[in-house]
């Protein structure tokens, strides 16, 4: 599993599997955010399956689905609220990591 560090407290990746949670925890992350809607692609793990693995490992989890190509200001606000509410560092994922990275960039731009 590869991920890209965006800031000291925020990294992104493409789709993860429940079995990746142990490595995410071992890397020091405290929170996992899923920005990928369920059923976007056949065979992808559900947000609930990732949430169950994350919570079993003692990590916080938030589901903030962003439809590809349709990122909204509500998505940005929801992500910003999650970053305020939850302990970092945060590991956010979607299909490729782009939506999770774009959300972070928009949060930073809004000042």
């Amino acid at each position: 599993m590869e991920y890209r560090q965006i800031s000291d407290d925020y990294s992104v990746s493409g789709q993860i599997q429940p079995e990746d949670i142990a490595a995410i925890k071992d890397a020091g992350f405290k929170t996992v955010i899923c920005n990928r809607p369920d059923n976007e692609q056949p065979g992808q793990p559900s947000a609930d399956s990732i949430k169950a693995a994350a919570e079993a490992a003692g990590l916080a989890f938030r589901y903030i689905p962003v439809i590809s190509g349709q990122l909204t200001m509500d998505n940005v606000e929801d992500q910003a609220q999650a970053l305020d509410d939850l302990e970092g560092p945060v590991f956010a994922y979607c299909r490729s990591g782009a939506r999770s990275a774009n959300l972070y960039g928009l949060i930073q731009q809004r000042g």
Side-chain angles (χ1 to χ4, degrees), residues 8-79:
D8 288 346
D9 257 6
Y10 190 86
S11 295
V12 301
S13 84
Q15 180 66 57
I16 61 171
Q17 302 294 322
E19 55 269 23
D20 293 327
I21 292 294
I24 291 167
K25 182 175 182 170
D26 288 347
F29 293 98
K30 304 291 185 199
T31 295
V32 175
I33 298 177
C34 173
N35 294 129
R36 188 173 192 195
D38 279 343
N39 304 312
E40 191 174 64
Q41 187 174 1
Q44 85 184 51
S46 69
D48 282 344
S49 69
I50 304 290
K51 177 181 181 179
E55 290 180 347
L59 301 178
F61 182 88
R62 187 72 55 94
Y63 180 51
I64 304 170
V66 176
I67 297 170
S68 183
Q70 299 180 41
L71 193 149
T72 68
M73 285 314 293
D74 283 344
N75 297 144
V76 174
E77 293 300 324
D78 290 347
Q79 192 89 349

